[in-house]
């Protein structure tokens, strides 16, 4: 079936989405992802299977939608007073969440169940929005900063590559190293100095 365009629902549609998403999360915790079926999810959510098929198309698209919602940040990034500190703290949290077993599973669902790239693009937009907040704070403090796209390329992209294609242990030091490399070695514990080499980023 063709993918249904996903929009932020309201009213009954919002309640259906919330019930179905909750059913997916509960059943995954109880029985594992492999045990999920549309009829099982529908029964737990109190809707008919046809409701799920009309709204999401198939099970994989539903899992992808749940994954994207799970990856949505719940709070703004921490404000620690400097670009280096803010970006390092955000990168560490991003790596920790994405590289955890649940995070890896949600990433796989978001990407593999996303034939048109819409959900993958939304996941990228979440990261870009958080980075934009950090860079906006830096600008307000008068700190020089790279662009959002540069941070995505130099920090987010390597983390996602390692998670998806080179699975293995990842720690906070890896995230901090990416930020240090981006900012020219500025410590996350001290104010970010103006780095001439960043002018070309």
């Amino acid at each position: 079936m063709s993918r249904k365009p996903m929009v932020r629902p309201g009213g009954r549609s919002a309640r259906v989405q919330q019930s179905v998403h909750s059913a997916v999360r509960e059943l995954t915790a109880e029985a594992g992802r492999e045990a999920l079926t549309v009829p099982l999810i529908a029964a737990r959510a109190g809707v008919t299977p046809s409701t799920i098929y009309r709204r999401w198309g198939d099970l994989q698209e539903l899992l992808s939608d749940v994954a994207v919602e799970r990856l949505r940040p719940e709070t703004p990034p921490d404000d620690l007073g400097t670009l280096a500190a803010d970006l390092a703290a955000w990168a560490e949290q991003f790596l920790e969440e994405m590289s955890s077993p649940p995070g890896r599973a949600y990433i796989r669902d978001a990407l593999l169940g996303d034939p048109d790239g819409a959900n993958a693009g939304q996941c990228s937009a979440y990261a870009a929005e958080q980075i934009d907040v950090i860079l906006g704070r830096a600008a307000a403090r008068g700190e020089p900063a790279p662009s959002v796209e540069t941070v995505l390329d130099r920090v987010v992209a390597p983390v996602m590559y390692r998670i998806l294609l080179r699975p293995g242990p990842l720690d906070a030091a890896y995230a901090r190293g990416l930020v240090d490399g981006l900012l020219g070695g500025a410590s996350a514990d001290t104010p970010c100095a103006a780095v001439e080499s960043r002018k070309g980023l």
Side-chain angles (χ1 to χ4, degrees):
M1 298 177 68
S2 62
R3 182 178 179 80
K4 307 297 183 185
M6 302 308 297
V7 297
R8 180 63 56 186
R12 181 180 181 279
S13 182
R15 292 193 295 273
V16 168
Q17 175 174 301
Q18 182 178 4
S19 296
V20 172
H21 279 213
S22 295
V24 169
R25 291 191 293 268
E26 291 169 3
L27 290 168
T28 299
E30 294 170 10
R33 183 183 179 284
E34 295 74 15
L36 296 181
T37 65
V38 169
L40 187 64
I41 294 168
R44 174 63 66 92
V47 301
T48 64
S50 62
T51 297
I52 293 177
Y53 287 123
R54 279 197 307 271
R55 182 175 180 83
W56 284 279
D58 59 25
L59 176 61
Q60 187 58 61
E61 290 188 7
L62 169 58
L63 295 179
S64 179
D65 189 46
V66 172
V68 170
E69 192 64 25
R70 171 61 181 79
L71 296 174
R72 178 191 299 273
E74 296 180 352
T75 60
D78 292 336
D79 185 352
L80 302 178
T82 69
L83 173 60
D86 289 358
L87 198 54
W90 180 84
E92 289 179 30
Q93 183 178 8
F94 179 81
L95 182 147
E96 180 181 359
E97 292 179 353
M98 296 299 107
S99 64
S100 68
R104 291 175 188 266
Y106 281 120
I107 290 170
R108 287 193 297 270
D109 283 335
L111 297 181
L112 296 179
D114 186 29
D116 61 6
N119 282 346
Q122 186 60 64
C123 291
S124 177
Y126 292 155
E129 289 167 4
Q130 293 262 298
I131 293 166
D132 190 53
V133 170
I134 293 172
L135 299 184
R137 290 172 180 164
R141 291 190 293 259
E143 294 181 274
S147 68
V148 171
E149 290 300 319
T150 298
V151 179
L152 289 171
D153 288 344
R154 300 278 296 276
V155 178
V156 176
V159 168
M160 296 301 290
Y161 178 88
R162 291 289 296 272
I163 290 172
L164 291 171
L165 300 179
R166 291 187 63 84
L170 292 172
D171 57 20
Y174 178 72
R176 289 195 302 270
L178 292 173
V179 173
D180 281 348
L182 171 65
L183 300 181
S187 169
D189 297 323
T190 59
C192 175
V195 179
E196 289 299 319
S197 61
R198 288 218 306 276
K199 293 181 179 178
L201 294 179

